[in-house]
Amino acid sequence: MLNRQTQDMIDDIEREVRLTSKMIGRKMLDPKVMSVMAATPRDKFIPKSQLEYAYNNGPLSIGYGQTISQPYIVALMTDLLELETGDTVLEIGTGSGYQAAVLSQLCKQVYTIEYVPELAELAKARLQNLGYKNIETKTGNGYDGWPEHAPYDGVIVTAAATHIPEPLLEQLKPGGRMVIPIGERYFYQELMLVEKDEDGKINRKDILSVAFVPFQGER
Ligand code: SAH
């Protein structure tokens, strides 16, 4: 049995998935993704001042002008990656570490990069304290990806970019998937699913309008 707040969050995500099912091309998300959403303590990833909203289906401030994404968006982006247990994933925009924690329970290894050093340090300590062992964090500009561990089965960008960073495309494995919000920095973006086929051909698909904080340091 889930506690009341968690069950409400799960119900809210499922409701929003149904409301947007035409756009996102699915009536429900993978039950594995939903059970990881239910098992990840969102209250441990936010500032104490926001505690009463921890399980609301909305974004929350995490300081430094940044946010932890809405649970529905975290679940949807995770679902779109269609992860398998042996997969390696690169995340750009660690923020609170929540999305990385969710991903880590569905794949072999997560590498995550955060631009704001204070947030990177906080997330690193938090993930360690909570016992997530297959997540490696670093401070830096995610535009360049993390070539040492490439190629990745999945790449997830959680800040709004104006274009797909070329290094991230290069570091995506043939057969791999990337989810990234693309658009104007301070307005809405399109959440885009980018697939690289076995021959290296790129296929892009707009999924949904979203609003993310800006990607810093684009080149
Ligand atoms: N995934 C996060 C939400 C992140 S908000 C979570 O689960 O909490 C977006 C984050 O992307 C912010 O923390 C921001 O500082 C970071 N960011 C913006 N541009 C970046 C870049 N070029 N490289 C790495 N991180 C970046």
Side-chain angles (χ1 to χ4, degrees):
M1 267 286 273
L2 295 178
N3 70 43
R4 176 72 186 275
Q5 285 189 315
T6 308
Q7 187 61 57
D8 284 351
M9 183 188 82
I10 294 298
D11 292 346
D12 285 343
I13 296 172
E14 288 177 346
R15 191 171 310 119
E16 197 160 351
V17 167
R18 285 197 300 273
L19 285 171
T20 55
S21 61
K22 282 229 173 66
M23 284 170 276
I24 65 177
R26 45 200 87 201
K27 289 206 175 73
M28 57 182 287
L29 303 185
D30 184 342
K32 284 201 299 271
V33 171
M34 292 308 291
S35 59
V36 168
M37 292 301 295
T40 309
R42 194 167 186 253
D43 56 293
K44 300 289 196 304
F45 290 83
I46 58 171
K48 285 221 167 59
S49 59
Q50 307 266 48
L51 217 49
E52 61 180 304
Y53 312 113
Y55 291 90
N56 286 10
N57 186 24
L60 293 171
S61 167
I62 54 169
Y64 306 92
Q66 306 305 329
T67 56
I68 177 173
S69 306
Q70 181 190 0
Y72 158 74
I73 291 291
V74 172
L76 175 63
M77 290 175 83
T78 305
D79 191 81
L80 288 167
L81 288 175
E82 295 184 5
L83 295 175
E84 286 172 22
T85 48
D87 284 356
T88 299
V89 177
L90 175 66
E91 181 193 28
I92 311 304
T94 315
S96 67
Y98 178 71
Q99 173 79 72
V102 167
L103 293 167
S104 74
Q105 297 166 73
L106 293 159
C107 69
K108 181 153 148 252
Q109 180 70 37
V110 177
Y111 297 96
T112 180
I113 309 177
E114 171 55 48
Y115 197 73
V116 178
E118 292 87 348
L119 285 176
E121 285 308 314
L122 270 172
K124 181 180 185 174
R126 173 181 291 137
L127 290 166
Q128 233 159 35
N129 289 338
L130 292 171
Y132 295 100
K133 302 214 186 310
N134 55 340
I135 305 174
E136 201 175 318
T137 59
K138 80 166 179 180
T139 304
N141 187 348
Y143 193 94
D144 304 318
W146 196 334
E148 288 82 354
H149 304 293
Y152 302 98
D153 301 284
V155 174
I156 174 170
V157 179
T158 64
T162 62
H163 60 275
I164 303 171
E166 193 57 39
L168 299 185
L169 263 188
E170 278 162 20
Q171 291 170 33
L172 187 63
K173 214 178 257 183
R177 299 159 78 86
M178 181 190 315
V179 282
I180 178 170
I182 297 280
E184 290 192 51
R185 287 168 65 84
Y186 293 101
F187 295 97
Y188 287 90
Q189 305 92 35
E190 278 296 321
L191 186 62
M192 194 183 269
L193 173 65
V194 182
E195 291 172 279
K196 187 189 256 190
D197 74 14
E198 296 296 339
D199 302 322
K201 205 169 117 294
I202 304 297
N203 185 34
R204 297 148 207 246
K205 193 159 139 207
D206 284 351
I207 303 289
L208 184 74
S209 281
V210 289
F212 275 84
V213 296
F215 194 103
Q216 311 284 340
E218 284 193 300
R219 302 195 204 286

